[in-house]
Structure formats: structure tokens, C-alpha cells
Amino acid sequence: MDGAFDYIIVGAGSAGSVLAERFATAGKRVLVLEAGGSDRRFFVQMPLGYGKTFYDQRVNWGYRTEPDPGLNGQRDYWPRGKILGGSSSINAMVWVRGHADDYADWQQATGRSDWGWEAALAGYRQIEDCADGGDHWRGQGGPLHIRSNKAHAHPLVAPFLQACEAAGLPRTPDFNGAQQEGAGIYQLTIKGGRRNSAARAFLRPALATRRVALRTGAQVTRVLIEGRRATGVEYQWKGKAQRALGGEVILAGGAINTPQLLMLSGIGPARMLRDQGIEVRLDQPNVGAHLNDHQGINYTYRMTVPTLNQILRPWWGKARVGLQYLLTGGGPLGVSINHAGGFFKTDPALERPNMQLYFQAFSTLIPRGETRPVLTPDPFPGLSIGLSNCRPSSRGSVELASPDPLAPPRIHGNVFSTPQDVDEMLAAVKMLRRIAEQAPLKTLIAEELRPGPQVAGDDALVEDFRQRSGTVFHPSCTARMGRDPASSVVDGDLRVHGIDGLRVCDAAAFPTLIGGNTNAPAILIGWLGAQRILATAPAAG
């Protein structure tokens, strides 16, 4: 493959798939290397099937954090997609862009208006094909279909939204429209009853151009560097070491794999690299640092009316909804478990919401063990209301655990390590209980089961969320963009400070964590990143 490609993309996830499509459309020759395999799997394509992929090592990296003091010393489980489409192939498909001011933060961090809100809005409108139609805020006719879930929302969504209004949280018709704050129905990346992952929306059209070569089961082990220039990559494929040379190298493996690969290539904190016996190519302490993630918890209720539990638990119910899905692409298996949610402030003085809500007409215990019975609901009508913080101040890190490129990295979540995060979550769970106490939802609740009414008082509530909370799967910022190499890894054109021919374009490069689900901004960074990369490509020859 000596010099055969303009770009070598490491990772066919949300950003990598978009990059491949954008480069192919621009007439470039592209090699995409993906450690995982095909996304043509029934439980990947079926929207609710992500419960089956949660621990499936065939499609999931299945990382675990180090014991976390913020979680009473427990190790959290961090699923990440190891498959075409990356985590967009195993996620809950909720399409939330984040708050406009989040992108103002990106502009401030990079000193670049092309990462600000106006650029982001333009990018989203080009990306989207919204079922509800296009307007100033939303796009129509783009490559990624966004389904409105209004016609598919569970009947319990209506009393939930009414309870939110009674608790002071107004209805919001579109979290991606004029106002994020409020409660409403989530939009989902589903098309024709199937998951509309980045692989389906972007990578497959890119492959159809014949300008993109794809290798699955190809795990990149090292970026090849000569002097201060990346010249290609080394990877394992079909049991043999391979090399791809020439063109620019773009890392799009995500917030865990990308910093790991940088460190394996000699780019990272010098002392850590030397301790692992790795030659230091660039002492860059920001690689793997600044890890930021949303932390969430569910409150569970026994209901007096039927929920999805009664349909999804018994064998006959599973058979019924399975047949319904196979025949029509609809029913409970054709949507996400997150039908509705919202954004609210724990302090009215805040300029933007700092908490996100998730509503599920479904309940199941989420253990920290080796199994998650997502498709084995509680044996009673149950409902869950969850929440997560939008902009936590706690920071973790990703470190090498071994020089072996096939060994998982060491992840320090370091959650709830600041008083601010603890205080915000305490106020948030009180708000969650306040919502559950409002009519008409209150009249449908038999009892609070988790944590239960016996958990009362600030100390007990804090202890409960330290014990029961976990990631909501949005790690970011571990190779972040910024104008200063002393505090960032890549510049506003996604070029690694100090290394030519090497860029990062994925959630690792987020300057700050977006307040909301992160699949939309991961796709956006691929879209806008492609513009920056093409505009600043090195001259041929």
C-alpha cells in the first residue's frame, strides 16, 4: 500500500465513517482500518437490540475502569463499540446536539469560529434528514435520517411530561431547536425500523464510490513516525503484522483507543512511556488527560399500570414483539428504551441546563457484574427515570497499563471528585423525586423501589448515587483541541502539536464535553473536521 492513499483513517466509528464519506466525495483515496467486524448483525440493526450487545465482546471493547473512590471503590463498566459504526452501532440512538453555548466553549478553546455555534449549526443542518422537516434549526435531505419518536412514544410518556411541567420544567418540542431546556420526546437515529448508525449513513455510501478501502479485524498497534512526521501505521490483520504507508494518518478510534494508540506510538507523558519501555517521540502530558464523562443514575418505580415489562419479560411477549418487529419493523423492539427526557438546571442562576433526564417505561436492575439483563425486565410493572450531569468538573485519565498494544488501557474515571459535582447530583436527584411526586404521574406509581423511600437525607442520597451510579457512555476530551500545546494535543485543524502528518478526529479531540448525548457531536466533529483537513491538506509531492 506504499503511498496508495491520501488518508489513512484509524477507526470506522462515528467520526471515522463521516471522514471516509467526506473524503470520498472530495475524490480522495482512503484506507479505513477497523479493529472490529461487520455491523450486519441482527441485534445491531434492531434498535432495541443494543441490550444484547452491551457485553458482547464480538462488537464491544468492554472496558472497565480502575477502582474509583467516587464510586465507593467500585470498578465501572464502559462499553465502547468495536464494530463498523463504532459506538453508534451499540448506543441508545438518542440524537441530541448539546447546547449552543457548548460550541461557544469550543470556539473559545480553539480560538476558531469554525468550531463555534454558527459553524456547528450549519454542519448539523447539512448532516440531518429530519422526519419533522427542516427549518432554521433543523436540516432535511442530509445523509443521516433522524426519526421523530412522537408516534412511537409509550403511553406513560404523556403523564411523565405533565409531571415535569407541574415540577416547573416546561415542554420543549425539540431539544435541538430554539430551546434545549425543558422536557420532551427524544429524536432517534432510526430509519425504516433499523438502527441508522454512522456506518449505514456514511461509510456504506463511501464504500460505494470505490475510493475507500476498508479492512475489518485490523487493529492498529502503532503510528509510524520518522523524525517529527507520521509516515503510516502498523497493524495486526489476519494474525500478521502489516504496514500502511503514505498520506496523512487520522486517528478516529474514540476517547479511549485514540490516546492509547498515541502513547503506544511514543506520544504522551514521557515518564509513563519510559516506565512502559516505549521510546518517547513527543513528550505530551495532555495525551490521556482531561477525561470527562457524564455520570448517571436511575430511580425505579413499581407502577399500578402496565409498562414494557409485561411485554418484554414473558416468553410469549418476547415472541409477540419479535414477530411484530420482523413483519413491520415496528413495536417495542423498533425504538430505543429512552422515549423521553429533558434538560434542567439545579440552580436557576445557571446560564444553561446542567442535568439531563431519561424516561423509560421499563425497569431492570443494572448490576456491576458480568451480565446486564436488559431484555429480562423486573417481574412487575416498572418504570425508570434517570438523569446524568451535563458538564461535570471531575476529570479522569487514560493511561497505558502495558506496552502490549492488545492489552486494554488503564482508565481512571475519577467521578464525583469535586464538591461541585456532588452538590449538583444531590440537587438533581431531589428534582427527580419532585417530578415523581407530581400528578398525574404520582397517581400511577405504587412505590419507589430504587433507592426506596428509606433513603432520605443528604448523606444517604449521596451514598446512594456513589454506590449505584455509572457512566452514561460519553467519554471525551482525552486528546483535546486547543490553541496551546501546553494544554491540548491537537490544534484547530486537528493536527497533533509537534507531529506532522498526524491528526485526531473523534470525541477524544472535543475541547470540552458537550452537555447531552455525544453521538451527534462525534458525527459533527467528523463532518467539520473533514472540512478543516481538506482545507489544510499538505501539497502533493
Side-chain angles (χ1 to χ4, degrees):
M1 298 181 193
D2 216 356
F5 300 99
D6 299 303
Y7 298 104
I8 300 169
I9 300 173
V10 180
S14 296
S17 294
V18 176
L19 287 171
E21 190 276 334
R22 292 286 82 199
F23 292 156
T25 299
K28 302 300 182 180
R29 301 160 300 168
V30 184
L31 172 64
V32 179
L33 299 172
E34 167 57 45
S38 173
D39 62 329
R40 295 189 186 277
R41 296 171 176 267
F42 179 73
F43 288 114
V44 169
Q45 297 299 318
M46 184 180 77
L48 197 61
Y50 65 90
K52 290 287 191 180
T53 63
F54 196 79
Y55 276 99
D56 188 345
Q57 294 186 0
R58 294 171 297 178
V59 300
N60 195 327
W61 290 99
Y63 292 123
R64 289 192 177 276
T65 69
E66 296 300 299
D68 197 326
L71 300 177
N72 291 337
Q74 299 173 95
R75 301 182 71 189
D76 203 2
Y77 177 67
W78 285 24
R80 309 305 302 156
K82 186 180 182 182
I83 184 174
L84 294 182
S87 293
S88 77
S89 289
I90 66 169
N91 70 352
M93 299 157 291
V94 174
W95 183 257
V96 169
R97 299 170 174 176
H99 196 279
D101 287 349
D102 294 338
Y103 297 94
D105 291 343
W106 283 22
Q107 179 170 339
Q108 181 178 10
T110 61
R112 301 276 293 269
S113 61
D114 44 22
W115 291 108
W117 171 239
E118 292 302 322
L121 177 59
Y124 279 126
R125 294 182 74 248
Q126 293 169 333
I127 289 167
E128 294 174 341
D129 178 29
C130 292
D132 288 340
D135 57 22
H136 172 74
W137 304 103
R138 307 309 304 275
Q140 191 170 40
L144 185 68
H145 183 76
I146 311 297
R147 190 179 85 176
S148 168
N149 206 40
K150 295 174 184 176
H152 307 276
H154 191 276
L156 282 172
V157 166
F160 166 72
L161 296 179
Q162 292 168 12
C164 287
E165 284 190 280
L169 196 59
R171 286 291 299 270
T172 294
D174 185 352
F175 297 122
N176 301 306
Q179 177 177 305
Q180 184 192 59
E181 187 173 7
I185 296 173
Y186 282 130
Q187 296 161 349
L188 305 171
T189 50
I190 296 174
K191 182 179 183 181
R194 293 168 51 207
R195 173 187 293 276
N196 197 23
S197 69
R200 184 181 177 196
F202 297 97
L203 183 59
R204 297 205 184 284
L207 294 172
T209 67
R210 300 186 179 274
R211 298 189 186 100
V212 177
L214 170 67
R215 284 194 167 178
T216 57
Q219 183 161 345
V220 177
T221 56
R222 183 165 59 109
V223 177
L224 300 173
I225 300 172
E226 294 183 7
R228 291 285 179 172
R229 173 173 290 278
T231 59
V233 298
E234 188 172 85
Y235 63 101
Q236 291 287 331
W237 189 57
K238 295 184 176 181
K240 295 182 179 179
Q242 307 277 348
R243 287 191 170 194
L245 302 174
E248 284 198 282
V249 176
I250 305 171
L251 306 188
I256 307 303
N257 296 64
T258 285
Q260 179 189 24
L261 182 56
L262 285 169
M263 289 184 279
L264 288 168
S265 307
I267 302 171
R271 181 174 180 179
M272 181 197 305
L273 300 182
R274 292 191 185 103
D275 287 346
Q276 297 291 350
I278 295 174
E279 179 184 358
V280 179
R281 294 286 187 171
L282 179 67
D283 181 9
Q284 175 48 280
N286 295 292
V287 172
H290 314 293
L291 172 63
N292 206 354
D293 185 29
H294 296 136
Q295 193 75 3
I297 188 169
N298 277 8
Y299 273 46
T300 304
Y301 301 88
R302 185 193 302 271
M303 306 300 291
T304 63
V305 294
T307 67
L308 290 175
N309 290 12
Q310 281 66 58
I311 301 173
L312 297 178
R313 182 177 175 87
W315 69 266
W316 55 264
K318 292 177 182 176
R320 175 184 169 188
V321 298
L323 183 62
Q324 181 184 14
Y325 179 73
L326 289 173
L327 292 176
T328 69
L333 302 183
V335 295
S336 171
I337 204 67
N338 294 308
H339 286 206
F343 291 86
F344 68 94
K345 302 172 184 175
T346 57
D347 181 344
L350 293 172
E351 294 183 354
R352 48 188 147 160
N354 63 328
M355 286 289 163
Q356 183 174 0
L357 285 167
Y358 309 86
F359 175 83
Q360 305 170 353
F362 170 94
S363 68
T364 185
L365 178 66
I366 301 178
R368 293 190 188 276
E370 294 300 325
T371 59
R372 184 192 190 194
V374 173
L375 298 183
T376 307
D378 294 322
F380 49 79
L383 177 152
S384 295
I385 305 175
L387 58 80
S388 63
N389 48 15
C390 289
R391 280 167 218 87
S393 56
S394 299
R395 297 291 183 271
S397 63
V398 176
E399 301 173 353
L400 284 185
S402 165
D404 178 2
L406 304 184
R410 187 177 290 122
I411 303 170
H412 299 276
N414 200 34
V415 303
F416 298 130
S417 58
T418 67
Q420 174 184 330
D421 289 355
V422 174
D423 291 345
E424 283 188 345
M425 187 62 76
L426 178 59
V429 295
K430 290 178 179 179
M431 175 61 171
L432 192 156
R433 274 186 166 168
R434 181 180 172 191
I435 291 170
E437 281 293 315
Q438 307 303 312
L441 188 59
K442 180 180 180 180
T443 62
L444 306 176
I445 293 175
E447 60 178 324
E448 180 186 291
L449 294 173
R450 305 181 185 103
Q454 75 281 1
V455 178
D458 290 0
D459 291 344
L461 290 170
V462 170
E463 175 63 20
D464 175 64
F465 65 66
R466 286 194 185 279
Q467 188 65 30
R468 292 198 305 118
S469 72
T471 176
V472 292
F473 325 121
H474 300 157
S476 307
C477 308
T478 49
R480 67 184 186 181
M481 270 193 287
R483 64 186 89 184
D484 185 357
S487 59
S488 62
V489 176
V490 299
D491 65 15
D493 291 320
L494 302 169
R495 296 175 293 203
V496 173
H497 295 299
I499 300 290
D500 294 332
L502 180 61
R503 310 203 199 209
V504 173
C505 186
D506 58 23
F510 287 6
T512 57
L513 180 58
I514 294 292
N517 306 75
T518 51
N519 188 233
I523 286 175
L524 178 76
I525 202 170
W527 189 273
L528 297 183
Q531 296 176 8
R532 300 309 317 142
I533 293 167
L534 289 167
T536 55

